[in-house]
Coordinates of all heavy atoms in Angstrom, one line a residue:
D219 N -5.1 13.1 10.2 CA -5.5 11.8 10.7 C -5.6 10.7 9.6 O -5.3 9.5 9.8 CB -6.8 11.9 11.5 CG -6.6 12.3 12.9 OD1 -5.5 12.5 13.4 OD2 -7.7 12.5 13.6
R220 N -6.0 11.2 8.5 CA -6.3 10.2 7.3 C -5.0 9.5 6.9 O -5.1 8.4 6.3 CB -6.9 10.9 6.1 CG -5.9 11.5 5.1 CD -6.6 11.9 3.8 NE -5.6 12.4 2.8 CZ -5.1 11.6 2.0 NH1 -5.4 10.3 1.9 NH2 -4.2 12.1 1.1
F221 N -3.9 10.0 7.2 CA -2.6 9.3 6.8 C -2.5 8.0 7.5 O -1.7 7.1 7.1 CB -1.4 10.2 7.0 CG -1.3 11.3 6.0 CD1 -1.8 12.5 6.2 CD2 -0.7 11.0 4.7 CE1 -1.7 13.6 5.3 CE2 -0.7 12.0 3.8 CZ -1.1 13.3 4.1
A222 N -3.2 7.7 8.6 CA -3.2 6.4 9.2 C -3.7 5.4 8.2 O -3.4 4.2 8.3 CB -4.0 6.4 10.5
T223 N -4.6 5.7 7.3 CA -5.2 4.7 6.4 C -4.2 4.3 5.4 O -4.4 3.3 4.6 CB -6.4 5.3 5.7 OG1 -6.0 6.4 4.8 CG2 -7.4 5.9 6.7
Y224 N -3.0 5.0 5.3 CA -2.0 4.6 4.3 C -1.4 3.2 4.6 O -0.8 2.5 3.9 CB -0.9 5.6 4.3 CG -1.1 6.8 3.5 CD1 -2.4 7.3 3.4 CD2 -0.2 7.4 2.7 CE1 -2.7 8.4 2.6 CE2 -0.4 8.5 1.9 CZ -1.7 9.0 1.8 OH -2.0 10.1 1.1
N225 N -1.6 2.7 5.9 CA -1.2 1.4 6.3 C -2.3 0.7 7.0 O -2.1 -0.3 7.7 CB 0.1 1.3 7.1 CG 0.0 2.0 8.4 OD1 -1.1 2.4 8.8 ND2 1.1 2.1 9.1
G226 N -3.5 1.1 6.7 CA -4.7 0.4 7.1 C -5.0 0.5 8.6 O -5.5 -0.5 9.2
S227 N -4.6 1.6 9.2 CA -4.7 1.7 10.7 C -5.7 2.8 11.1 O -6.3 3.5 10.3 CB -3.3 2.0 11.3 OG -2.4 1.0 10.9
D228 N -5.9 2.9 12.4 CA -6.8 3.8 13.0 C -6.1 5.0 13.7 O -5.3 4.7 14.6 CB -7.7 3.0 14.0 CG -8.6 3.8 14.9 OD1 -8.7 5.1 14.7 OD2 -9.3 3.2 15.8
P229 N -6.3 6.2 13.3 CA -5.5 7.3 13.9 C -5.8 7.5 15.4 O -5.1 8.1 16.1 CB -6.0 8.5 13.1 CG -7.3 8.2 12.5 CD -7.3 6.7 12.3
Y230 N -7.0 6.9 15.9 CA -7.3 7.1 17.3 C -6.7 6.0 18.1 O -6.7 6.0 19.3 CB -8.8 7.0 17.4 CG -9.6 8.1 16.7 CD1 -9.9 8.0 15.4 CD2 -9.8 9.3 17.4 CE1 -10.5 9.1 14.7 CE2 -10.4 10.4 16.7 CZ -10.7 10.3 15.4 OH -11.3 11.3 14.7
Q231 N -6.0 5.0 17.5 CA -5.2 4.0 18.2 C -3.8 4.0 17.7 O -2.9 3.7 18.6 CB -5.8 2.6 17.9 CG -7.2 2.4 18.3 CD -7.7 0.9 18.0 OE1 -7.1 0.0 18.6 NE2 -8.6 0.7 17.2
A232 N -3.5 4.2 16.5 CA -2.1 4.2 15.9 C -1.2 5.1 16.6 O -1.6 6.3 17.0 CB -2.1 4.4 14.5
P233 N 0.1 4.8 16.9 CA 1.0 5.7 17.6 C 1.3 6.9 16.8 O 1.3 6.9 15.6 CB 2.2 4.9 17.8 CG 2.2 3.8 16.7 CD 0.7 3.5 16.5
A234 N 1.6 8.0 17.5 CA 1.9 9.3 16.9 C 3.2 9.2 16.0 O 3.4 10.0 15.1 CB 2.2 10.4 18.0
T235 N 3.9 8.1 16.1 CA 5.1 7.9 15.2 C 4.6 8.0 13.8 O 5.4 8.5 12.9 CB 5.6 6.4 15.5 OG1 5.8 6.3 16.9 CG2 7.0 6.3 14.8
L236 N 3.4 7.5 13.5 CA 3.0 7.5 12.1 C 2.7 8.9 11.5 O 2.4 9.1 10.4 CB 1.8 6.6 11.9 CG 1.9 5.1 12.3 CD1 0.7 4.3 11.9 CD2 3.1 4.6 11.5
S237 N 2.8 9.9 12.4 CA 2.6 11.3 11.9 C 3.7 11.7 10.9 O 3.7 12.8 10.4 CB 2.5 12.2 13.1 OG 1.3 12.0 13.8
M238 N 4.7 10.8 10.8 CA 5.8 11.1 9.8 C 5.3 10.8 8.4 O 6.0 11.2 7.4 CB 7.0 10.3 10.1 CG 6.9 8.8 9.9 SD 8.5 7.9 10.2 CE 8.6 8.1 12.0
I239 N 4.2 10.1 8.2 CA 3.8 9.6 6.9 C 3.5 10.8 5.9 O 3.9 10.8 4.8 CB 2.5 8.8 7.0 CG1 2.9 7.4 7.7 CG2 2.0 8.4 5.6 CD1 1.7 6.5 7.9
P240 N 2.9 11.9 6.4 CA 2.7 13.1 5.5 C 4.0 13.6 4.8 O 3.9 14.1 3.7 CB 2.1 14.2 6.4 CG 1.5 13.4 7.6 CD 2.3 12.2 7.8
H241 N 5.1 13.3 5.4 CA 6.4 13.8 4.8 C 6.6 13.1 3.4 O 7.2 13.7 2.5 CB 7.6 13.4 5.7 CG 8.9 13.7 5.0 ND1 9.3 15.1 4.8 CD2 9.9 12.9 4.6 CE1 10.5 15.0 4.3 NE2 10.9 13.8 4.1
L242 N 6.0 11.9 3.2 CA 6.2 11.2 1.9 C 5.5 12.0 0.8 O 6.1 12.1 -0.3 CB 5.6 9.8 2.0 CG 6.1 8.8 3.0 CD1 5.4 7.5 2.9 CD2 7.7 8.6 2.8
E243 N 4.4 12.6 1.1 CA 3.7 13.4 0.1 C 4.2 14.8 0.0 O 4.6 15.3 -1.0 CB 2.2 13.4 0.3 CG 1.5 12.1 -0.1 CD 0.0 12.3 -0.1 OE1 -0.5 13.4 -0.1 OE2 -0.7 11.2 0.0
H244 N 4.2 15.5 1.2 CA 4.5 16.9 1.3 C 5.9 17.3 1.3 O 6.3 18.3 0.9 CB 3.7 17.5 2.5 CG 2.2 17.4 2.4 ND1 1.5 18.3 1.6 CD2 1.3 16.6 2.9 CE1 0.3 18.0 1.7 NE2 0.1 17.0 2.4
G245 N 6.8 16.3 1.7 CA 8.2 16.6 1.7 C 8.9 16.0 0.5 O 9.8 16.7 0.0
I246 N 8.5 14.9 0.1 CA 9.2 14.2 -1.0 C 8.4 14.3 -2.3 O 8.9 14.5 -3.3 CB 9.5 12.7 -0.6 CG1 10.4 12.6 0.6 CG2 10.1 12.0 -1.8 CD1 10.6 11.2 1.1
G247 N 7.1 14.1 -2.1 CA 6.2 14.3 -3.3 C 5.4 13.1 -3.6 O 5.7 12.0 -3.3
A248 N 4.2 13.3 -4.2 CA 3.4 12.3 -4.8 C 3.5 12.3 -6.4 O 3.6 13.4 -6.9 CB 1.9 12.5 -4.4
F249 N 3.5 11.2 -7.0 CA 3.9 11.1 -8.4 C 2.8 10.3 -9.2 O 2.1 9.5 -8.6 CB 5.2 10.4 -8.5 CG 6.3 11.2 -7.9 CD1 6.6 11.1 -6.5 CD2 7.1 12.1 -8.5 CE1 7.6 11.8 -5.8 CE2 8.1 12.8 -7.9 CZ 8.4 12.7 -6.6
Y250 N 2.8 10.5 -10.4 CA 1.9 9.8 -11.3 C 2.7 9.1 -12.4 O 3.4 9.8 -13.2 CB 0.9 10.7 -11.9 CG -0.1 9.9 -12.9 CD1 -1.1 9.2 -12.3 CD2 0.1 9.9 -14.2 CE1 -2.0 8.4 -13.2 CE2 -0.8 9.2 -15.1 CZ -1.8 8.5 -14.5 OH -2.6 7.8 -15.3
P251 N 2.7 7.8 -12.5 CA 3.4 7.1 -13.6 C 2.7 7.2 -14.9 O 1.4 7.1 -15.0 CB 3.4 5.6 -13.1 CG 2.9 5.6 -11.7 CD 2.0 6.8 -11.6
E252 N 3.4 7.4 -16.0 CA 2.8 7.4 -17.3 C 2.1 6.0 -17.5 O 2.8 5.0 -17.4 CB 3.8 7.7 -18.4 CG 4.3 9.1 -18.4 CD 5.3 9.4 -19.5 OE1 5.4 8.5 -20.4 OE2 5.9 10.4 -19.6
G253 N 0.9 6.0 -17.9 CA 0.2 4.8 -18.1 C -0.5 4.2 -16.8 O -1.1 3.2 -16.8
G254 N -0.4 5.0 -15.7 CA -1.0 4.5 -14.4 C -0.1 3.7 -13.5 O 1.0 3.3 -14.0
I255 N -0.6 3.3 -12.4 CA 0.2 2.5 -11.4 C 0.5 1.2 -12.0 O 1.6 0.6 -11.7 CB -0.7 2.3 -10.1 CG1 -0.8 3.7 -9.4 CG2 0.0 1.3 -9.2 CD1 0.4 4.3 -8.8
Y256 N -0.3 0.6 -12.8 CA 0.0 -0.7 -13.4 C 1.3 -0.7 -14.2 O 2.0 -1.8 -14.3 CB -1.2 -1.2 -14.3 CG -1.1 -2.5 -14.9 CD1 -1.1 -3.7 -14.1 CD2 -1.0 -2.7 -16.3 CE1 -1.0 -4.9 -14.6 CE2 -0.9 -4.0 -16.8 CZ -0.9 -5.1 -16.0 OH -0.8 -6.3 -16.5
A257 N 1.6 0.5 -14.7 CA 2.9 0.6 -15.5 C 4.1 0.2 -14.6 O 5.2 -0.2 -15.2 CB 3.0 2.0 -16.1
I258 N 4.0 0.4 -13.3 CA 5.1 0.0 -12.4 C 5.3 -1.5 -12.6 O 6.5 -1.9 -12.8 CB 4.8 0.4 -11.0 CG1 4.6 1.9 -10.8 CG2 6.0 -0.1 -10.1 CD1 4.1 2.3 -9.5
A259 N 4.3 -2.3 -12.4 CA 4.4 -3.7 -12.5 C 4.8 -4.1 -13.9 O 5.7 -5.0 -14.0 CB 3.1 -4.4 -12.1
Q260 N 4.2 -3.5 -14.9 CA 4.6 -3.8 -16.3 C 6.1 -3.7 -16.5 O 6.7 -4.6 -17.1 CB 3.8 -3.0 -17.3 CG 2.4 -3.5 -17.5 CD 1.7 -2.5 -18.6 OE1 1.8 -1.3 -18.4 NE2 1.1 -3.1 -19.5
S261 N 6.6 -2.5 -16.2 CA 8.0 -2.3 -16.5 C 8.9 -3.1 -15.7 O 10.0 -3.6 -16.3 CB 8.3 -0.7 -16.1 OG 8.2 -0.5 -14.8

Side-chain angles (χ1 to χ4, degrees):
D219 277 356
R220 88 167 185 92
F221 285 95
T223 66
Y224 280 36
N225 63 9
S227 300
D228 173 1
Y230 298 88
Q231 298 183 64
T235 312
L236 298 186
S237 293
M238 69 178 70
I239 295 176
H241 177 67
L242 298 181
E243 283 190 19
H244 293 280
I246 301 173
F249 300 82
Y250 180 78
E252 289 185 8
I255 295 290
Y256 184 65
I258 301 172
Q260 278 183 311
S261 63

